[in-house]
Amino acid sequence: PTSSTMAARSRLLPLAMASSRQALRPAVHAAFGMGAPSVLSMNSSLWSVGGIRTTKSSKRNTKIILTTDYEHLGHRGDEVQVRPGYARNFLIPKQIAVYSTVENQNKFLVEKSAEEQRIIDEARKKAETRRRLERLKLTLKRQVTGETMYGSVSAKDIARILSLSGVDVVEHDVKLEKPIKELGAHTVSVKISGELQEVPFSVVKR
């Protein structure tokens, strides 16, 4: 080795003892006669050593689409931006989200349109059912002798007469605490299209 090469090696010895980036960068600059660096920042994203470029991980966010409602981020189908590591190491493996690709965007757009249509159809159905109930005059007849009514009116009886009238219900939708054994006007709560509604009816003498 030439004397200049030996001199350069001796100047590089401090590099082996540098334990942090703050200590490493001044040593490199001194070894190559580059002078003191103008900025010594641990947050620098790009710096050079003898022509070698070292890039720190990017701080740019990445776009994801949530596959389920997730607190602090949003609802299913929402497109949000998060740190790449959070998406890569947690949200994607846990199937909480997927990357916002064109394919996934189209998939959730179709799903969103279908959900919006479902909500519209459901609202229309509820409105139609409500109007039908307002027009109904439900009457159940029972045999009566003197002051005694034979038999009673059960939840099954009310569900059946509602079904015959075009209202889609089953027995467990009728919230009747106990069978009715008296003539006259009555009201019962019925779960129709997911909502409880008060339905009036009458029990009369046959």
Side-chain angles (χ1 to χ4, degrees):
T2 63
S3 58
S4 60
T5 301
M6 294 294 291
R9 287 180 178 177
S10 65
R11 291 197 300 272
L12 283 172
L13 286 176
L15 294 177
M17 302 179 66
S19 60
S20 68
R21 185 175 295 179
Q22 291 289 76
L24 175 63
R25 292 174 65 186
V28 170
H29 280 261
F32 287 89
M34 299 165 61
S38 58
V39 179
L40 294 177
S41 172
M42 292 297 288
N43 295 324
S44 175
S45 62
L46 182 66
W47 57 290
S48 62
V49 179
I52 300 174
R53 294 161 58 88
T54 304
T55 306
K56 293 175 66 177
S57 60
S58 172
K59 291 185 178 181
R60 290 179 299 176
N61 288 339
T62 187
K63 291 183 179 181
I64 59 170
I65 300 175
L66 297 175
T67 58
T68 185
D69 294 350
Y70 196 71
E71 190 176 4
H72 306 311
L73 282 182
H75 301 285
R76 176 180 172 85
D78 288 351
E79 182 183 76
V80 296
Q81 295 189 41
V82 297
R83 298 294 290 271
Y86 186 37
R88 181 177 61 253
N89 299 324
F90 182 75
L91 297 176
I92 303 299
K94 295 289 185 180
Q95 298 182 348
I96 297 170
V98 293
Y99 287 112
S100 182
T101 62
V102 173
E103 180 182 358
N104 286 333
Q105 289 170 4
N106 291 336
K107 173 185 175 182
F108 281 94
L109 281 175
V110 170
E111 181 181 292
K112 184 178 180 181
S113 297
E115 177 64 14
E116 290 175 348
Q117 187 60 50
R118 185 192 66 78
I119 292 173
I120 292 172
D121 292 343
E122 186 174 294
R124 184 183 296 114
K125 182 179 179 181
K126 287 180 179 179
E128 290 174 353
T129 301
R130 193 176 297 112
R131 288 193 295 268
R132 186 178 294 113
L133 286 173
E134 291 171 355
R135 295 192 299 266
L136 283 179
K137 294 185 182 297
L138 300 178
T139 301
L140 294 98
K141 295 180 179 181
R142 290 294 181 269
Q143 185 67 39
V144 177
T145 300
E147 295 183 357
T148 304
M149 186 175 80
Y150 293 95
S152 60
V153 175
S154 65
K156 184 177 181 180
D157 296 326
I158 297 171
R160 183 172 63 249
I161 194 172
L162 282 171
S163 297
L164 291 173
S165 302
V167 181
D168 186 20
V169 295
V170 293
E171 182 179 350
H172 72 260
D173 291 327
V174 180
K175 310 305 177 183
L176 188 64
E177 293 183 1
K178 60 182 180 179
I180 296 171
K181 298 183 179 181
E182 296 179 354
L183 299 176
H186 302 272
T187 302
V188 65
S189 295
V190 182
K191 190 174 184 179
I192 301 173
S193 300
E195 295 180 351
L196 281 178
Q197 298 190 39
E198 295 299 311
V199 178
F201 64 97
S202 298
V203 181
V204 299
K205 183 178 179 179
R206 178 177 295 172

